[in-house]
Amino acid sequence: SSDCVVAEQLCLSDSTCNATYRTLENCALAKAHLLSLDHDIRVRCLNAELDLGNSSLLHCKCHRRMKRQEHCLRIFWTVHSSMTDGYFNLETSPYENPANEEHWKTDYNKLAALVSGKNCSSQLAGDATNPCLRATHVCNLSKKCFRLRTDYASICTKGAGSEDVCDRRKCHKGLRNFFEKVPEDFTKRILFCPCQDEFCGERRRKTIVPDCSFQYNTKPNCLWLLDSCLEDHICKSRLADFQQNCQSVDMSPDGCSLHNHAACLQAYMGMIGTPMTPNYVSNSSVEVSLWCTCENSGNQKEKCDQILGMFESNKCL
């Protein structure tokens, strides 16, 4: 099976595969707790991964919209734990290529036509000059889009303007819910709406409620942000997906190794609601960045610059 949850069940029902998988679980656990593995244990872990051979576990993937996503991702990284050894390049995405979602566009276009039909209110609201506002109005006509957008907005704005600190973890979860459960035709238009002025740019930048989801009082080091990400199965998986689909290559005509900008934008959206949440840097440009700095990185400055550069200088993105 291509589904890791099903593949795990099949493996556990086979005594040989079961034993190999349990060894890999111990290896992943040791790595998660940053225990130094001696040479013999490293070899045993690597051999266990090789022993899976053509097992469906070795080739299984997860779906971003599946119910048991975190469990599925834990299985994937248990089997592929050796791949992240000592370097942040995760090499391969645990996610399957997205299925064709064209049928969602008809829902968006029908609702967009309704918004256009309300000429008077649309003009008053500035729909004609503000594509981000228009995308929001279309979202409000979809029950699911409106509900999930309202949910994360209310969570992410709690504590704003007072001494209370927003609950970043809950805010991130609400954002992930919105970007995972609402059809992409709605979420992409809200996040990537083309702006001609700063009012529109401000609405676009505030889509993810930056005061809670993106900004800290002081910018943390990007290496700290990466460490936080690698400790979290979802963030690590989204980062692997982003690295695979937004790989910048100078020799390529469009600067993108896969020439698949739709997959790159989807992978970018997947980073929102994780410890490495990106956002627009201002109201007047489409430049994006992480909220972190590479000052005081010592001898890891080059690695830190690479992390920041994945977003700031990514031609593919």
Side-chain angles (χ1 to χ4, degrees), residues 4 32 53 106 115 129-130 132 149 154 170 178 192 201 230 243 277 280 300:
C4 288
T106 54
V115 169
T129 57
N130 193 332
C132 292
R149 185 174 163 274
S154 62
K170 282 188 177 176
F178 176 72
F192 303 124
L230 296 181
Q243 286 182 323
T277 294
Y280 296 98
Q300 289 193 296

Side-chain angles (χ1 to χ4, degrees), residues 150-171:
T150 305
D151 283 353
Y152 85 73
S154 62
I155 296 165
C156 298
T157 49
K158 275 182 185 170
S162 68
E163 291 180 4
D164 297 331
V165 178
C166 75
D167 190 327
R168 183 171 279 109
R169 190 184 60 80
K170 282 188 177 176
C171 174

Side-chain angles (χ1 to χ4, degrees), residues 8-123:
E8 182 193 46
Q9 291 169 349
L10 290 170
C11 177
L12 296 180
S13 64
D14 176 90
S15 57
T16 307
C17 188
N18 191 329
T20 305
Y21 185 63
R22 296 303 181 197
T23 301
L24 286 171
E25 277 188 318
N26 291 333
C27 296
L29 200 62
K31 285 193 73 170
H33 291 91
L34 301 177
L35 301 176
S36 54
L37 307 180
D38 63 35
H39 177 71
D40 289 347
I41 295 176
R42 280 176 182 274
V43 170
R44 194 186 311 157
C45 293
L46 198 57
N47 285 339
E49 197 171 308
L50 293 171
D51 284 346
L52 284 178
N54 289 321
S55 161
S56 53
L57 260 179
L58 199 59
H59 308 287
C60 72
K61 294 275 187 177
C62 302
H63 302 279
R64 199 177 272 137
R65 293 169 182 262
M66 69 191 295
K67 283 185 178 177
R68 300 178 68 191
Q69 185 183 163
E70 284 192 60
H71 178 65
C72 184
L73 295 172
R74 182 186 62 75
I75 297 165
F76 180 89
W77 292 116
T78 295
V79 175
H80 297 281
S81 64
S82 68
M83 290 170 56
T84 59
D85 195 31
Y87 191 58
F88 76 90
N89 191 343
L90 304 172
E91 294 181 21
T92 188
S93 170
Y95 291 110
E96 280 202 61
N97 290 329
N100 188 344
E101 292 162 352
E102 287 293 315
H103 62 280
W104 283 341
K105 290 184 190 267
T106 54
D107 296 336
Y108 186 93
N109 290 338
K110 279 178 188 171
L111 296 175
L114 284 175
V115 169
S116 298
K118 299 172 183 176
N119 288 328
C120 182
S121 62
S122 293
Q123 283 171 8

